[in-house]
Structures are given as C-alpha cells and as structure tokens.
Amino acid sequence: MTAEQQQAVPPAASSEPEQRAPEQKKSSSSGKILAIIAIIIAILLTAILYWHGHNQALAQAEQMSQLQAEVAQQQQRLQQAEAKQSSQLAAVINNQSSTTEQLEGLSHKVLDLDSKRPNDWMLAEAEYLVRMAGRKLWLEQDAVSAAMMLANADERLAALNDPGLTPVRRALADDIASIKSVQKVDREGLVIKLNSINDQVDKLTLAGVIMARAEEPDFTLSESVSDWKENLKKSWASFSDNFVTVRRRDGNVEALLSPQQHWYLSENLKGKLLQAQLAVYREQQEIYDSSLAQARQWLQDYFADDSVRQFMLEQIEQLSGQQIKVDYPEQFSAQERLQQLLDDRLQRLLTGL
C-alpha cells in the first residue's frame, strides 16, 4: 500500500460518526415533540375537567339558590296563612262571645217570661195534644186514641181556670162528640178473618167431572112365542155385553182443569183475598165488595162441595156485609182557635220585650 493510500484511510473512518449525528438529532427532536404533545394534552384535559367541574358547581349553586327562594316563598305563604287563620279565629271567638252574651240575655228574658206567665206552657201543650189527635185520626184511623188526646187537652185547659178559654173548650167538646159518633170498624178483626180464609185455599179440592147417568139395557125375555125375534136380539145383546159394553150418556160435561190452571186459580183466589185485606186498610169499599164477590163465585164454580169450601163461603158471606168506609171530620174546630190564641199571646210577649 502506498503512503497516499494509507493517508486516505483515516478520513474514511471519520465519516461514520458524522452520519450518526443527524439521526440522533432527529430522534431527540421527535421525543421532544411527543413530550410537548403529551403536556398539551394533559393541560387540555385538566382545563376540560376544571371547566366541567366549574359548570357543575355553578349549576348546583343556581339550584341551591332556587331551592332557597322556594323555601322562602313557602315560609312566607305559611306565615300569611297563619296570620289569616289567626285573624279568622279571633273573629270567630269574638262572634261566639257576642252570641253567648245574646243567648244569656235571651235566656234571662225567657226565664222572666216563664216566671210571669207559666200558664202559656200548658196552653201550648193542649195545642200539641190537639195536633197529635188529628194525626192519630187521619193518618192511623185511630178514633179512640184521638178522643183520649182531645180529652187530655181539655183537662189542660180546665186546669188553667181561665174564663177566656170557654169558647175553646166548647169547640173541644164538639170535636170529641163528633169523633165518638163515628162508626167503629174492627179492621184488625176483618183482616184476621180474611187471613184465616186465605190459609184454607191450599186445602180446597177441585170439583170432579159429573157424568150423566147411563141408560141400562133391558135384557128381560118375553114369554110370548111371537116375540121370538125380540128375545133373540136380547139374548145376543146379553151375550155380547160380556165382551164390549157401550152406554149412551146425555148432558154437558166440563173438562177438568190442568195442574197449571189449578195453580193459577188458587193463586188468583189468594190474590183476591189479599186485595180485600188491603182495601180494608185503605177504606176502599167497592174494591172490598168486588173482591169478596169474585172469591165467592170461584169457590162455587171450581171447587168441590166439602167442609173447607163450606167454611170459606160462610166466612165470606159474613164479611161481605161489613162497612169499612168511615166518614171522619175533616178538621178540629178547636185547633184553629188554640193556634190563634197562642199566636196572639206570643205577639204580646214579643212586643213587651
């Protein structure tokens, strides 16, 4: 190797480090870029998280402020309601106190009036008895109780010993006489008898078919020889009668009722008797008479003549002549007089307050 070649070798060896230097520079620069990017990303994430947390804090603060405002409004409303109730309660207490004072004043006046005119209460009691007597008479048709109540009212007026009540007592006497002159009707007794008749309906027996008497043939033979033909017919008829018998019956025969028709007939008969009972309480004379007449007709037409039917017909015959309608007085003459007397005295008392 020549000297020139030897001298040329070192420069060739020194070129490799020169080539590695740029590569190291490039790798170091890329690492720095990545680090910067990571730092930037971290900063951005931190900023985003801070911004999100800040917004949530602001929202929570706003919600808290709204809740505080609502609570304040509710407290204000409650205070207003309490104040309103307190004012109303105070007004009610004031009204009650004033009402109590008025009642006490009225009670004192009533006590004063009671001590001054005690007889007015007995007069009011007599008027009440007269009104109750009217209800007993017109609503319950109880003339006995009505007369007793009018008599008790007259006793109250007699105890007052007031000559001014003589016209009222005279009217009461007339009312008592008009009630006692009314015809008495034993409604309970009539209804009980009708009910006993109704209980016998199921024991009735339907009338059977009544057949006309059949004609019996005459098989007697004649002793005359000339009647041999007639005797032969009779002998043949007597012989054939042991096998087939034909009898002729004349007259109208009614068919038997079916079980269903029998049930309807019995129920209709019970209905007529119940209708008569209701007519007794309502004082419906025409309905009462027509119901009993229809029941009597059905008994005679459809049921057998036995002891049950005979008993029912006898009872219906006794009840048919009963008078159930009563003419009561339309009003009591003493009631209007008593009411007018009480009104006049009450008006005088109120005028004197």
Side-chain angles (χ1 to χ4, degrees), residues 181-211:
S181 63
V182 171
Q183 181 182 359
K184 296 179 176 61
V185 178
D186 187 10
R187 303 184 189 280
E188 289 75 13
L190 293 176
V191 172
I192 291 172
K193 289 182 180 180
L194 288 170
N195 193 30
S196 65
I197 298 173
N198 201 349
D199 293 338
Q200 301 297 320
V201 174
D202 294 331
K203 300 178 183 179
L204 290 170
T205 305
L206 279 178
V209 177
I210 301 174
M211 304 294 291

Side-chain angles (χ1 to χ4, degrees), residues 1-14:
M1 180 181 293
T2 61
E4 293 177 356
Q5 292 176 346
Q6 292 180 350
Q7 291 178 355
V9 171
S14 61

Side-chain angles (χ1 to χ4, degrees), residues 20-313:
R20 292 176 180 174
E23 291 178 356
Q24 291 178 353
K25 291 180 181 179
K26 288 179 181 180
S27 61
S28 60
S29 61
S30 62
K32 291 179 180 179
I33 292 171
L34 291 173
I36 292 171
I37 292 172
I39 292 170
I40 292 172
I41 291 172
I43 293 171
L44 289 174
L45 289 174
T46 303
I48 290 171
L49 291 174
Y50 173 77
W51 178 78
H52 181 69
H54 180 67
N55 288 336
Q56 286 185 345
L58 291 177
Q60 291 178 354
E62 186 176 358
Q63 289 178 356
M64 289 295 294
S65 61
Q66 290 178 357
L67 289 174
Q68 290 176 355
E70 291 179 357
V71 170
Q73 291 178 357
Q74 292 292 337
Q75 290 179 351
Q76 186 177 2
R77 291 175 183 174
L78 288 174
Q79 291 176 356
Q80 292 176 356
E82 289 177 355
K84 186 177 180 180
Q85 290 180 354
S86 299
S87 61
Q88 291 178 353
L89 183 60
V92 170
I93 293 173
N94 292 330
N95 291 332
Q96 288 181 350
S97 61
S98 61
T99 304
T100 304
E101 293 176 356
Q102 293 177 359
L103 289 175
E104 290 178 354
L106 289 175
S107 63
H108 288 304
K109 291 181 179 179
V110 169
L111 291 175
D112 293 338
L113 291 175
D114 190 16
S115 61
K116 292 178 181 178
R117 304 188 64 87
N119 294 336
D120 290 344
W121 296 108
M122 297 182 67
L123 188 63
E125 187 177 358
E127 192 272 337
Y128 172 76
L129 287 172
V130 173
R131 283 191 290 108
M132 292 303 297
R135 294 181 181 179
K136 278 287 183 181
L137 182 63
W138 297 309
L139 297 180
E140 302 179 15
Q141 287 81 39
D142 190 355
V144 177
S145 299
M148 291 178 60
M149 289 182 177
L150 291 180
N152 290 333
D154 185 65
E155 292 177 359
R156 300 294 191 280
L157 297 180
L160 294 176
N161 196 16
D162 187 355
L165 299 177
T166 302
V168 180
R169 295 191 62 191
R170 188 180 298 112
L172 271 175
D174 294 339
D175 293 333
I176 294 173
S178 63
I179 291 177
K180 290 185 176 181
S181 63
V182 171
Q183 181 182 359
K184 296 179 176 61
V185 178
D186 187 10
R187 303 184 189 280
E188 289 75 13
L190 293 176
V191 172
I192 291 172
K193 289 182 180 180
L194 288 170
N195 193 30
S196 65
I197 298 173
N198 201 349
D199 293 338
Q200 301 297 320
V201 174
D202 294 331
K203 300 178 183 179
L204 290 170
T205 305
L206 279 178
V209 177
I210 301 174
M211 304 294 291
R213 185 176 181 82
E215 296 179 0
E216 295 291 338
D218 186 11
F219 297 133
T220 304
L221 299 178
S222 176
E223 295 180 356
S224 177
V225 179
S226 60
D227 295 333
W228 65 272
K229 290 183 180 181
E230 189 68 27
N231 290 335
L232 182 61
K233 290 180 180 179
K234 290 181 178 181
S235 297
W236 174 254
S238 177
F239 176 74
S240 62
D241 189 61
N242 295 325
F243 299 96
V244 178
T245 303
V246 178
R247 291 184 176 90
R248 183 179 182 83
R249 300 178 187 270
D250 296 329
N252 296 326
V253 178
E254 296 183 0
L256 288 172
L257 293 177
S258 65
Q260 185 177 10
Q261 290 174 334
H262 181 201
W263 183 83
Y264 283 138
L265 177 61
S266 299
E267 293 301 318
N268 286 332
L269 181 58
K270 292 179 181 179
K272 284 298 179 182
L273 295 173
L274 290 175
Q275 190 175 13
Q277 293 181 19
L278 185 61
V280 171
Y281 287 114
R282 294 181 177 179
E283 297 185 1
Q284 297 172 338
Q285 188 70 45
E286 296 180 358
I287 297 177
Y288 175 78
D289 294 336
S290 63
S291 299
L292 291 181
Q294 187 66 58
R296 184 195 304 112
Q297 188 66 37
W298 286 345
L299 284 172
Q300 294 173 351
D301 293 344
Y302 297 104
F303 295 98
D305 188 9
D306 54 10
S307 60
V308 177
R309 191 188 78 159
Q310 190 65 27
F311 168 76
M312 295 177 67
L313 288 175

